Amino acid sequence: MTTKLFGEPVRRREDARLIVGKGRYLDDIGAHALAAAFVRSPHAHARITGIDVEGALDVEGLVAIYTYEDLTGPMAEPLPVLIPHPQLHAPRTGYPLANGEVNHVGEPVVMVVATDRYLAEDAAERIVVGYEELPVIVGVDAAREARDAVHAEIPDNVAARHHQETGDVEAALAGSARTLSFTQYIERSACMPLEGKGVHARWDPADSSLRVYSSTQASTSVRAAIAAKLELSLEDVEVIAPDVGGGFGVKIMHPWPEELLVPMAAIRLGHEVKWAEDRREHFIGSAHERQQRQEITVGFDDDGRITALDVHAWHDNGAYTPYGIIIPIVTATQLVGPYAIPVYRVVVESVYTNTVIVTPYRGAGRPQGCYAMERTMDRIADVLGLDRAEVRRRNLIRADQFPYDHHLTFQDGRPVIYDSGDYPGLLSKLTDLVGWDAMEARRAEAASRGKLLGAGMAMYVEGTGPGPYEGGHVQVLGSGKVLVATGLTSQGQGHETSFAQIVASELGVPIEDVEVTTGDTRRFPYAVGTFASRAAVMSGNAIALAARGVREKALRIAAEVLEADPADLEIEDGVVGVRGTPGATIPLRTVAVLSNPLRYAFDEAAKQATQFARAGSDDKPPVAVGDAPGLEHRDYYSPIRSTFASGAHAAVVEIDPATWEIDVVSYAVVHDCGNVVNPMIVEGQVHGGVAQGVAGALYERMAYDADGQLQNASFMDFLMPYASEIPDVVIDHQQTPSPLNPLGIKGAGEAGVIPGTAAIASAIEDATGRRIAAMPISPTELYDVMRSVDHERTAASGRRADVTA
Amino acid sequence: MTSVDTERSITVTVNGVPRKATLPVRRLLSDALRHDLGLTGTHVGCEHGVCGACTVLVDGTPVRSCLVFAVQVDGASVTTVEGLARDDHQGGQVLHPVQEAFRECHALQCGFCTPGFLVTIAAGLEARDRSAEITEEEVDEIVGGNLCRCTGYANIKKAVRHAAAAMRPAEADHTGHFGGGDGAW
Amino acid sequence: MKPAPFRYADPGSLDEALDVLAAEGDGAKVLAGGQSLIPLLSMRLAAPATLVDINRVPGLDGVEATGDGVRVGALVRHAALLHDDAAARVQPLLARATANVAHPAIRNRGTTVGSIAHADPSGEMTSVLALTDGSVTVATPAGRSTVGWRDLFVGPLETSVHGPAVVVDAFFPALAPRSGTAFAEVARRKGDYAVCGAGVVVTLDADRRVEAVRASYISVGLVPEVVDLTEAVHGRPVDAADWAAAGELARTLVDPDGDLHASADYRRLLVGVLTERTLGTAAAEALERTAA
Ligand SMILES: Cc1cc2nc3c(=O)[nH]c(=O)nc-3n(C[C@H](O)[C@H](O)[C@H](O)COP(=O)(O)OP(=O)(O)OC[C@H]3O[C@@H](n4cnc5c(N)ncnc54)[C@H](O)[C@@H]3O)c2cc1C
Ligand code: FES
Ligand code: FES
């Protein structure tokens, strides 16, 4: 492999259009489309008693109104349970438009189509829906108490009870020298991409075909869902993800009601229809994540080595479970992190609440798992009076223990077997990077300025690149251009660049000649989607394999022309040559022309491949048996299991003891995602992830009141940080290549966000000496903690007081 | 007598080109640019003034185009991200230094926030004394009012420093692309 | 999030503006910078029948700084006031407070008078008008009148200005001799509306003893109020004044509400802390201005 471009910080190719305003996002498409708007439930739980559209009918520009009554066939059935699981014993999904009952504020009840969005909103505003309100469940604790039920037939509100264990935890705890039990909470947040969702559909009645653009992370699956729900043949539906303005998980969920309703309307009306979600709709009509209550019991010895871990968590899945129990499984299995846990039992109960559905948000259950495990480490250190880094070190899986089998089953149904890593290496790099051992001096310095300083750390292991598969197609054209396609989508991760780097390296062509298309079912119909940090691992490897196939074929054809052994050939800068024999070359583009025997010459290059131009053997067919015309190859990568990336973060906070404002003053990251295709892009992913981690720890939460009204459904009150709130981040790298895939890479997309909440909670606890067991935390809440006389104090704060006294 | 209208015809100079449109008076400038004039480079992320994705320059000053009605800019000149680059008079474009810097510093990921940042930063850098080295306070002030969900801002700040350095008169002279102080950039 | 339909006028003079407002009746609303009104329209939390855009009315965009004070016209943008040195010399609170209003792009369009007319108790400039004992000039078809801040602010987002009326300017009296000011706030994100903010004025006597201390708070209470803290530090030499005691007093005099971002108690805490901190700074300035 020519490794020239692989591993280089190549500047992004997608930027050329994005920096001049030539990106093509969903709402940039279809200038003449009709616009859809929705009447959404204002109640968290209610029966619909009637829908009166009369008032809307005279709105100028109104084209159509749809209610549940207008849905037919599969559209009138509940939305799919995308990921069924045997432990999801009581799955529930909504309908594209509410069927008699609403279960969260924001649930779509009526769709209005008008000539523009202003008019569609005018009409929607005039539609009167009658509701009979029902009791409302908000939050895991209320769901657990189950005084009322979200779904009448599920009186305990439990959708699933996910359970895994690796031994007899009761016995192990009983035999442990020490045990600790505690409860902690983590709140709801959301992906909040800057571009909302959106769908544009165009029906061609002449050939009965449907083209749909969706701001999605899973165009192939959206296509399948639309075909199934609208009873169309798959080949009559094409779905394209245009430029997508961020996803972070919310756009992997599908089919959204709007993804079905907009195409339905386009077909019925015979006109393009578009829906571009506005910000308020995104808050109440998309998805959130993260709320859990965690009850943890840990057994350990006097040295701080864990002997047993027992976790019982309650996970708020919102009103419905279309995405199954992926998040509970991820929490359950990723919780163990980089540590050797001799006996582990975990139960995650996924419970219904009358709130927006919960589907993966970058990290997808890992931040919660990391929070559980890392705060456990902090507690053990606190009880034993040990350094928090030291307790972690004692529990880490050693570098010589790989592959390491946790005896758990991951979200892809495969065993959790760590492929490679060096966790002690991460930890020592981290303590160096953040200056862990010099923290007391920093604390004293801050104290002299009247500030409370504290440091915290958190480590994680992240299963990335789960299957089942992704594919890649690479084709060299007679012009020398190399077309690359994969079905997986892009939301800003720079796939056009990384994948081009891989192909340029594998094939030996200039990157300028490579053109990458992602997420377009016309170009590549088989794919799974962009989630779980899988793009580089899955599509990257599939594309590498496809490129290798092309290379092999190119060498075979070139070898004939050059009368050489393919093993002696190399490709450099788009030219095939015989190694060590200058002059014996043939451009790859000529090989591409020759690969496709022609009858008709449509241009100069093609002439070379026509039947009278080519010398060939009369005994062989122009296309050999088993061969195909064209210099192209399609290949798939399907891993036996996920590959496990890892990292360690440390945060240093300064707290103003008068106002209780919390300032993250240092943030250090050590990161291992195996071989790196483009370090610039990976660093960008880390920066973005850390920002979301800090946001989730200190700023963002979905604040529901007891009636299920989202109190902060705007950017005014949902505090997505500006630059002013995000600390500078220092990064160090470690590379333990994955033995599982040809490129040795591991995923990098989600890592940055995972340890933020745990590390910052730890730092605040360190600074204040008060137990921090509910995150995120704001200054007003920290004030409540500090002034409460009976709020738990850490043992470390007692020891520190003794020292200073 | 003042006319009270539900629809108006307006003329706006957008990126140097006079454009006419007849619009309902309630049309937001952001929608008018995107949907009536086809300039979709200006993005809409919140429509309540917080995110800054929709920022454009009205008579050279950054404003939220989601918080201005199109009829209010009748007669004014508007610059959008599409108007930041300069014609090179050879059929191509010379990017604004801040556009170059964004690419060089990997200051964008999904690119949705990018147009708002670019016009805000371009205006901010043009308004300051270019001969002075940019301070961190200036950088913070220039980028402080726009949201980005992808980048964590580090590279956006880096790009501002980069662009400011490129726009310093001495630097600008020897790149040959743009003369300092002629008001071009 | 698109505004409901409305009718629109952009009169070219104040008289015309008043005429249109009168003709259009109760459903008419003034549109100034639009930075508060347009979000409300887009969320359909407000749906006036007619918007009377005053942006083309001549003569409303001046900042007039005299020995008496600063008169800020209805079309003066926050950004212009922030950068007006003459105004800052006469009444330093103006620039200090304005710097905390939103982010630059909002300040480029939003008007200071608009934010007073909007009467948001979380807005900086309503408090500053109160603290400086300012007033506004209201033009109606019947003529002009001056309305003092106490009579202006009736409730949250509610003023005494009704019917066909345009607030044509706001007047902020000059900082008194031997006085200093300071302004500080705590916001969740920089540029956000404050969780709590404090503006203070400290006045010394000729012997550099504390003569008067007044404060006004942001996001505390339903309407801006001025709290007199003099008793806590009255007559104390400025360098020996117990500003913490003034902060303590302030805490007992305010009655904040809790919301998503802060409990009432936390706001009360901040009132104390910000009072103490700003008083120290303001006193230093008062001292300078007394010495000079
Ligand atoms: C993201 C964001 C953040 C913000 N942060 C802050 C902040 O931190 N602090 C702060 O104080 N403000 C903040 N604002 C609001 C901003 O300061 C507004 O500019 C200001 O509150 C209103 O001024 P305006 O000129 O925009 O008024 P408009 O929005 O045009 O009008 C507001 C109201 O006042 C009335 N009105 C306006 N002018 C007059 C007049 N001359 N006569 C009679 N009535 C009039 C209008 O009819 C309307 O009811 C923020 C706004 C946004 C969008
Ligand atoms: S869209 Fe205008 S500020 Fe967000
Ligand atoms: S690059 Fe995606 S929001 Fe900024």
Side-chain angles (χ1 to χ4, degrees):
Chain A
M1 185 170 89
T2 12
T3 49
K4 264 206 310 243
L5 287 174
F6 188 101
E8 290 299 313
V10 173
R11 297 298 179 259
R12 296 202 329 168
R13 323 184 75 216
E14 35 280 87
D15 293 359
R17 64 175 186 277
L18 302 180
I19 56 179
V20 295
K22 294 273 186 291
R24 192 158 175 257
Y25 300 86
L26 193 281
D27 193 35
D28 304 344
I29 293 164
H32 304 290
L34 300 172
F38 290 84
V39 177
R40 295 174 184 276
S41 171
H43 300 294
H45 196 190
R47 247 188 297 280
I48 296 173
T49 56
I51 300 177
D52 180 0
V53 301
E54 198 59 39
L57 298 180
D58 59 359
V59 169
E60 182 207 349
L62 175 71
V63 176
I65 296 176
Y66 302 96
T67 68
Y68 177 76
E69 300 299 319
D70 300 304
L71 306 183
T72 55
M75 282 294 279
E77 291 163 19
L79 292 161
V81 178
L82 274 182
I83 311 177
H85 189 284
Q87 290 175 346
L88 177 60
H89 63 266
R92 285 295 178 278
T93 51
Y95 294 81
L97 291 169
N99 175 17
E101 185 178 317
V102 287
N103 282 298
H104 68 84
V105 171
E107 195 167 345
V109 180
V110 184
M111 175 168 69
V112 176
V113 179
T115 50
D116 78 19
R117 173 80 186 205
Y118 290 73
L119 299 167
E121 289 191 22
D122 292 348
E125 202 178 21
R126 288 180 171 76
I127 292 171
V128 181
V129 182
Y131 295 97
E132 179 189 322
E133 289 183 53
L134 296 169
V136 173
I137 294 287
V138 173
V140 277
D141 286 335
R144 219 169 130 233
E145 281 167 32
R147 280 203 207 117
D148 294 296
V150 173
H151 301 287
E153 336 73 61
I154 310 172
D156 63 358
N157 290 318
V158 178
R161 200 168 275 110
H162 178 64
H163 176 187
Q164 298 204 36
E165 61 184 46
T166 67
D168 185 346
V169 85
E170 311 275 351
L173 283 173
S176 298
R178 292 166 177 258
T179 60
L180 264 176
S181 293
F182 58 96
T183 299
Q184 59 181 21
Y185 288 88
I186 186 166
E187 249 303 340
R188 268 189 183 218
S189 183
C191 303
M192 216 44 75
L194 211 53
E195 179 203 32
K197 307 198 302 288
V199 189
H200 172 272
R202 189 173 78 196
W203 173 249
D204 184 342
D207 69 353
S208 301
S209 72
L210 180 72
R211 177 184 294 178
V212 177
Y213 290 91
S214 181
S215 188
T216 180
Q217 295 174 227
S219 49
T220 50
S221 194
V222 170
R223 178 191 186 209
I226 290 173
K229 281 288 186 181
L230 300 182
E231 298 177 282
L232 297 168
S233 161
L234 192 64
E235 69 266 20
D236 291 336
V237 182
E238 44 195 47
V239 176
I240 301 151
D243 282 322
V244 173
F248 312 109
V250 65
K251 295 175 183 175
I252 189 64
M253 173 51 214
H254 65 279
W256 289 101
E258 299 88 352
E259 272 172 331
L260 302 171
L261 292 164
V262 168
M264 179 194 86
I267 295 171
R268 292 199 192 176
L269 299 171
H271 199 291
E272 287 173 67
V273 180
K274 178 166 75 177
W275 167 72
E277 184 181 55
D278 70 28
R279 188 51 57 185
R280 176 158 169 84
E281 288 184 289
H282 190 76
F283 271 98
I284 63 171
S286 283
H288 304 160
E289 211 224 290
R290 301 256 202 274
Q291 193 186 47
Q292 286 185 1
R293 169 195 169 97
Q294 305 175 330
E295 291 181 0
I296 298 168
T297 300
V298 62
F300 52 102
D301 66 19
D302 291 333
D303 295 328
R305 285 194 180 79
I306 291 181
T307 47
L309 182 64
D310 191 15
V311 177
H312 194 166
W314 284 264
H315 166 81
D316 169 9
N317 61 226
Y320 303 110
T321 50
Y323 212 76
I325 56 168
I326 290 298
I327 299 165
I329 298 173
V330 171
T331 296
T333 51
Q334 300 265 267
L335 191 146
V336 289
Y339 307 109
I341 310 292
V343 186
Y344 172 52
R345 175 172 71 185
V346 60
V347 175
V348 185
E349 302 199 44
S350 190
V351 294
Y352 288 108
T353 59
N354 291 112
T355 58
V356 170
I357 59 167
V358 168
T359 68
Y361 161 31
R362 195 182 205 168
R366 296 178 187 85
Q368 297 96 312
C370 179
Y371 176 61
M373 187 75 246
E374 294 297 313
R375 303 299 288 131
T376 300
M377 288 293 167
D378 290 339
R379 297 229 185 198
I380 294 171
D382 191 48
V383 169
L384 297 177
L386 292 170
D387 177 50
R388 287 167 291 165
E390 182 55 28
V391 169
R392 285 172 169 82
R393 190 171 290 124
R394 290 177 188 174
N395 284 287
L396 289 175
I397 294 164
R398 296 187 316 273
D400 62 5
Q401 284 177 288
F402 293 94
Y404 185 88
D405 189 348
H406 270 291
H407 304 287
L408 295 167
T409 303
F410 198 40
Q411 59 156 321
D412 52 2
R414 302 283 170 141
V416 178
I417 300 176
Y418 291 175
D419 49 337
S420 65
D422 177 3
Y423 308 143
L426 288 176
L427 182 57
S428 66
K429 278 185 181 217
L430 182 74
T431 49
D432 287 351
L433 189 63
V434 76
W436 188 257
D437 297 331
M439 214 50 78
E440 287 310 313
R442 276 184 79 177
R443 193 194 305 279
E445 187 279 328
S448 74
R449 289 182 283 112
K451 293 284 170 72
L452 304 174
L453 181 139
M457 63 166 58
M459 303 183 70
Y460 66 91
V461 172
E462 183 198 3
T464 69
Y469 73 87
E470 282 304 331
H473 181 250
V474 175
Q475 180 180 18
V476 183
L477 301 183
S479 61
K481 187 163 280 178
V482 182
L483 301 182
V484 179
T486 183
L488 162 153
T489 61
S490 187
Q491 304 82 48
Q493 303 93 330
H495 296 155
E496 281 173 58
T497 306
S498 301
F499 296 161
Q501 280 179 263
I502 291 172
V503 171
S505 299
E506 292 286 344
L507 213 49
V509 296
I511 192 166
E512 295 72 26
D513 290 348
V514 185
E515 247 173 51
V516 178
T517 303
T518 61
D520 184 338
T521 64
R522 296 170 302 182
R523 291 289 306 279
F524 206 97
Y526 291 97
V528 182
T530 305
F531 59 92
S533 308
R534 66 194 295 279
V537 179
M538 302 301 302
S539 284
N541 278 294
I543 287 169
L545 293 172
R548 287 176 193 182
V550 167
R551 181 185 160 87
E552 193 190 303
K553 181 165 185 180
L555 295 187
R556 182 156 45 81
I557 296 170
E560 272 175 42
V561 178
L562 297 173
E563 295 174 347
D565 184 337
D568 295 335
L569 299 184
E570 62 186 3
I571 311 178
E572 223 170 283
D573 241 5
V575 177
V576 189
V578 183
R579 206 174 286 118
T581 312
T585 60
I586 176 172
L588 198 58
R589 71 183 134 79
T590 309
V591 176
V593 171
L594 297 179
S595 72
N596 181 19
L598 290 172
R599 183 174 177 84
Y600 309 115
F602 39 82
D603 63 12
E604 275 309 306
K607 274 188 195 163
Q608 304 170 69
T610 51
Q611 51 205 11
F612 300 108
R614 283 188 88 180
S617 157
D618 290 342
D619 328 327
K620 284 195 232 153
V623 177
V625 178
D627 209 349
L631 186 50
E632 62 177 320
H633 190 72
R634 180 184 304 270
D635 216 327
Y636 294 87
Y637 173 63
S638 180
I640 46 164
R641 55 180 174 267
S642 297
T643 170
F644 289 83
S646 56
H649 291 200
V652 182
V653 301
E654 266 185 32
I655 295 170
D656 181 330
T659 64
W660 304 107
E661 288 170 285
I662 305 159
D663 194 7
V664 180
V665 292
S666 315
Y667 201 100
V669 172
V670 185
H671 183 251
D672 183 348
C673 61
N675 291 338
V676 170
V677 184
N678 184 326
M680 179 189 81
I681 288 176
V682 167
E683 259 194 35
Q685 290 293 316
V686 172
H687 282 147
V690 168
Q692 282 176 319
V694 171
L698 298 176
Y699 296 98
E700 296 171 359
R701 77 179 66 206
M702 289 294 166
Y704 276 100
D705 68 10
D707 296 328
Q709 298 291 340
L710 187 57
Q711 299 294 289
N712 56 345
S714 83
F715 278 173
M716 221 51 168
D717 287 316
F718 179 83
L719 304 175
M720 202 157 118
Y722 289 101
S724 39
E725 284 68 53
I726 300 301
D728 291 340
V729 179
V730 291
I731 303 177
D732 195 359
H733 300 275
Q734 176 176 289
Q735 283 194 9
T736 57
S738 173
L740 296 182
N741 63 65
L743 298 176
I745 56 188
K746 301 175 177 181
E750 297 171 279
V753 79
I754 296 169
T757 288
I760 290 172
S762 182
I764 296 171
E765 191 166 286
D766 185 44
T768 60
R770 300 300 196 288
R771 189 71 68 202
I772 303 300
M775 289 294 280
I777 188 163
S778 62
T780 186
E781 289 162 320
L782 182 57
Y783 174 54
D784 287 341
V785 165
M786 298 310 295
R787 70 195 170 127
S788 147
V789 280
D790 44 41
H791 193 94
E792 187 186 345
R793 284 157 201 263
T794 61
S797 71
R799 284 188 289 271
R800 195 169 289 144
D802 289 347
V803 172
T804 37
Chain B
M1 185 61 210
T2 314
S3 68
V4 185
D5 307 306
T6 55
E7 198 176 86
R8 283 254 176 122
S9 294
I10 61 169
T11 305
V12 187
T13 302
V14 184
N15 300 328
V17 181
R19 305 285 301 263
K20 286 186 194 308
T22 299
L23 304 166
V25 297
R26 62 168 157 165
R27 184 82 92 236
L28 298 166
L29 176 58
S30 46
D31 286 334
L33 289 168
R34 292 177 44 73
H35 302 308
D36 297 294
L37 301 181
L39 292 168
T40 55
T42 297
H43 295 159
V44 159
C46 71
E47 294 182 288
H48 49 270
V50 184
C51 76
C54 67
T55 308
V56 300
L57 309 183
V58 173
D59 294 331
T61 305
V63 300
R64 308 289 207 224
S65 65
C66 73
L67 297 188
V68 180
F69 293 113
V71 291
Q72 296 188 280
V73 297
D74 190 9
S77 98
V78 172
T79 307
T80 68
V81 66
E82 288 96 337
L84 281 186
R86 207 173 59 178
D87 216 340
D88 69 356
H89 304 295
Q90 288 158 32
Q93 283 189 322
V94 187
L95 294 180
H96 190 284
V98 71
Q99 290 173 306
E100 291 280 11
F102 260 56
R103 185 173 150 84
E104 183 55 29
C105 301
H106 186 33
L108 64 154
Q109 290 183 22
C110 78
F112 200 77
C113 68
T114 309
F117 272 102
L118 289 173
V119 297
T120 307
I121 296 166
L125 293 180
E126 277 158 33
R128 64 183 291 277
D129 169 11
R130 296 183 197 193
S131 59
E133 196 171 324
I134 195 160
T135 64
E136 282 310 294
E137 290 70 36
E138 281 180 282
V139 174
D140 290 345
E141 174 82 359
I142 289 175
V143 304
N146 290 54
L147 290 174
C148 173
R149 191 54 160 171
C150 298
T151 64
Y153 303 104
N155 289 344
I156 294 177
K157 294 205 257 183
K158 187 166 154 193
V160 175
R161 286 179 221 116
H162 235 257
M167 288 169 75
R168 286 180 78 171
E171 304 287 331
D173 286 347
H174 67 237
T175 64
H177 282 318
F178 42 98
D182 68 352
W185 275 325
Chain C
M1 300 225 288
K2 308 292 181 192
F6 53 79
R7 290 148 51 80
Y8 174 83
D10 56 347
S13 74
L14 186 59
D15 288 343
E16 280 180 42
L18 293 170
D19 286 348
V20 184
L21 283 166
E24 295 291 310
D26 272 355
K29 223 173 188 8
V30 170
L31 173 66
Q35 305 300 285
S36 291
L37 186 52
I38 298 180
L40 293 174
L41 299 177
S42 286
M43 294 182 193
R44 299 202 178 204
L45 296 172
T50 309
L51 287 187
V52 180
D53 182 351
I54 60 171
N55 281 282
R56 287 182 207 273
V57 174
L60 297 183
D61 59 355
V63 178
E64 208 183 291
T66 65
D68 293 342
V70 181
R71 191 169 297 280
V72 179
L75 291 176
V76 174
R77 316 290 164 177
H78 297 300
L81 184 59
L82 173 60
H83 297 116
D84 193 310
D85 295 339
R89 274 192 298 275
V90 173
Q91 180 44 272
L93 266 175
L94 294 177
R96 284 175 191 157
T98 308
N100 288 277
V101 175
H103 289 111
I106 306 286
R107 295 201 292 260
N108 287 340
R109 185 87 192 157
T111 67
T112 302
V113 168
S115 93
I116 289 167
H118 191 52
D120 188 338
S122 307
E124 284 77 5
M125 302 319 286
T126 46
S127 274
V128 170
L129 190 76
L131 184 59
T132 57
D133 203 18
S135 57
V136 295
T137 307
V138 180
T140 65
R144 290 185 180 224
S145 58
T146 301
V147 181
W149 69 273
R150 272 179 217 282
D151 299 324
L152 180 67
F153 300 121
V154 176
L157 306 184
E158 202 190 338
T159 67
S160 57
V161 178
H162 288 297
V166 174
V167 179
V168 291
D169 61 47
F171 180 71
F172 300 90
L175 179 62
R178 299 192 310 275
S179 300
T181 72
F183 188 94
E185 65 180 43
V186 169
R188 287 307 317 276
R189 294 174 298 190
K190 190 169 184 303
D192 278 351
Y193 282 101
V195 164
C196 179
V200 296
V201 181
V202 174
T203 304
L204 306 181
D205 64 17
D207 296 332
R208 301 178 184 181
R209 288 171 192 276
V210 178
E211 184 177 282
V213 174
R214 282 175 302 124
S216 182
Y217 301 97
I218 291 152
S219 301
V220 174
L222 304 180
V223 290
E225 278 174 74
V226 175
V227 175
D228 193 328
L229 304 173
T230 310
E231 68 180 83
V233 281
H234 187 246
R236 302 298 305 264
V238 65
D239 44 9
D242 183 356
W243 304 122
E248 273 309 311
L249 175 62
R251 288 171 70 148
T252 64
L253 297 177
V254 294
D255 185 18
D257 283 326
D259 61 20
L260 263 185
H261 304 301
S263 67
D265 279 354
Y266 180 60
R267 285 212 159 87
R268 199 183 295 281
L269 171 83
L270 292 181
V271 162
V273 175
L274 293 176
T275 302
E276 183 183 341
R277 288 183 182 172
T278 47
L279 285 180
T281 313
E285 184 179 77
L287 189 59
E288 242 171 64
R289 288 171 44 108
T290 304

